[in-house]
Amino acid sequence: MQIVELLWPAFVLAIALVFIHTVFGLEIIKRGVIFTDLAIGQIAAIGMAISVAFMHSHYQSAMTFLFAFLAALVITWATKKVQKIEAFIGLLYALGISSIMLILAQSAEGTELFSKLSAADILFTSSDELYKSLAIYGGVAFVMFVIYPRLNAALKEFTFFTMLAVTVTSSVQSAGVLVVFSLLIAPSYAGLMQKKMPPFGFATLFGSLGVLLALIGSYYLDLPTGYAIIFVTVLTSLTFVVFSSIITIKK
C-alpha cells in the first residue's frame, strides 16, 4: 500500500506513456519506418541540450518542441521524396546523438545530462508533472482519435508527424529518448504479433504491465528506472514475439 501512495504519479504516467505511444507505434511499424520516432526523439533532445547548456534550462519545452517539429517536417517530406528512407532516418539519428555530445562536451555535467536525455528516472514524478503530461497526451489523443481520421491524405501525414512531435517533446523530457523508442515499438510489436485481441488494446495492456513491473523492480532493487523500463518492455516483447512465432510455425 505504501508503494502505491508514494509512486502513484509514476504508475499513472507510465501507463499514459504506453497508451499514447502505442497510438503512434502501431502505425510506425505498419509503415516500416521503425527509427522515425528514435530520430525525432534524438533531434528533439538537441533542443533540450541547447536549453540546458546555453540557456540555463530556460525555454526547455519550446526548444525541444522546435527541434522535434523540424525533424517531423523533414521526415514527412523525406518519406515522399527520398529513396531508402530508413537509411536517411538512421543518419538523422546519428546527427542528433553526435550533436548532443558536442553541445554537452563543455559541460562538467555532460555525461550525466546525456544519460538523463537517454533514459530519465520517472520513479518520483510529482503530481504537477503528471497533470501536465496528461493534459498534453489527452489533447494528442483527441486529435488522433477524433480529428485525424477525418482528414485528407496530405493533411493526415502532416498531422500524424506533428502530433508525434508534440508527444515526443513531452516524453523525452519526462522519460528520455530510449524509453520513448522502447515504448513506441515494443508493446506495439507484441500487439501486432497476436490475433486474439485488437492490437491497440493488447499492446496497451501488455506495455502497461511491463512498465509497472519495471517501476516496482527498480524501486525495490534500487535500479535506474529508465533503463529498467527499457529492459523489461523490450525483453517481454521479444520473448512474446519469439514464442508467438514458434507456435505459428508449429500450426
Side-chain angles (χ1 to χ4, degrees), residues 1 14-15 25 43 50 53 85 119 145 150 184 218 223 236 238:
M1 190 66 180
I15 293 171
I43 298 296
I50 291 173
I85 186 63
F145 285 111
R150 305 176 184 180
L184 269 161
S218 67
L223 297 172
T236 53
L238 288 174

Side-chain angles (χ1 to χ4, degrees), residues 26-48:
L26 292 169
E27 183 64 23
I28 284 171
I29 292 176
K30 289 175 183 177
R31 293 182 181 205
V33 286
I34 305 300
F35 292 104
T36 296
D37 53 294
L38 188 59
I40 292 177
Q42 200 66 67
I43 298 296
I46 295 176
M48 190 174 172

Side-chain angles (χ1 to χ4, degrees), residues 15-142:
I15 293 171
L17 284 167
V18 172
F19 171 83
I20 199 63
H21 288 90
T22 300
V23 173
F24 297 99
L26 292 169
E27 183 64 23
I28 284 171
I29 292 176
K30 289 175 183 177
R31 293 182 181 205
V33 286
I34 305 300
F35 292 104
T36 296
D37 53 294
L38 188 59
I40 292 177
Q42 200 66 67
I43 298 296
I46 295 176
M48 190 174 172
I50 291 173
S51 169
V52 171
F54 302 116
M55 300 178 178
H56 306 289
S57 296
H58 297 312
Y59 311 110
Q60 192 173 112
S61 294
M63 290 296 294
T64 305
F65 175 72
L66 174 62
F67 277 81
F69 183 67
L70 289 174
L73 284 180
V74 170
I75 291 174
T76 301
W77 172 84
T79 52
K80 301 297 183 183
K81 302 294 183 180
V82 174
Q83 296 183 359
K84 310 296 182 185
I85 186 63
E86 279 292 280
F88 181 85
I89 294 173
L91 291 177
L92 279 181
Y93 168 75
L95 177 65
I97 196 169
S98 59
S99 298
I100 291 169
M101 292 302 294
L102 292 174
I103 291 167
L104 298 178
Q106 303 304 316
S107 172
E109 301 174 342
T111 302
E112 182 181 342
L113 290 171
F114 180 77
S115 179
K116 181 181 178 181
L117 289 173
S118 298
D121 188 348
I122 71 168
L123 200 58
F124 297 103
T125 301
S126 69
S127 56
D128 289 342
E129 292 171 330
L130 171 64
Y131 298 145
K132 179 182 176 182
S133 295
L134 290 180
I136 293 170
Y137 298 150
V140 170
F142 176 80

Side-chain angles (χ1 to χ4, degrees), residues 103-227:
I103 291 167
L104 298 178
Q106 303 304 316
S107 172
E109 301 174 342
T111 302
E112 182 181 342
L113 290 171
F114 180 77
S115 179
K116 181 181 178 181
L117 289 173
S118 298
D121 188 348
I122 71 168
L123 200 58
F124 297 103
T125 301
S126 69
S127 56
D128 289 342
E129 292 171 330
L130 171 64
Y131 298 145
K132 179 182 176 182
S133 295
L134 290 180
I136 293 170
Y137 298 150
V140 170
F142 176 80
V143 171
M144 294 304 296
F145 285 111
V146 178
I147 298 175
Y148 177 76
R150 305 176 184 180
L151 301 175
N152 61 42
L155 198 52
K156 254 188 172 182
E157 197 76 1
F158 176 77
T159 301
F160 178 84
F161 284 109
T162 300
M163 290 299 100
L164 178 58
V166 171
T167 302
V168 167
T169 297
S170 176
S171 302
V172 164
Q173 293 180 84
S174 61
V177 175
L178 296 181
V179 174
V180 169
F181 178 72
S182 65
L183 293 183
L184 269 161
I185 301 303
S188 296
Y189 190 23
L192 291 169
M193 287 296 292
Q194 55 82 46
K195 306 297 181 184
K196 294 184 178 180
M197 288 178 60
F200 181 80
F202 182 89
T204 302
L205 179 61
F206 184 87
S208 297
L209 292 174
V211 294
L212 292 179
L213 177 63
L215 286 175
I216 294 170
S218 67
Y219 176 77
Y220 282 112
L221 300 177
D222 194 24
L223 297 172
T225 307
Y227 288 103

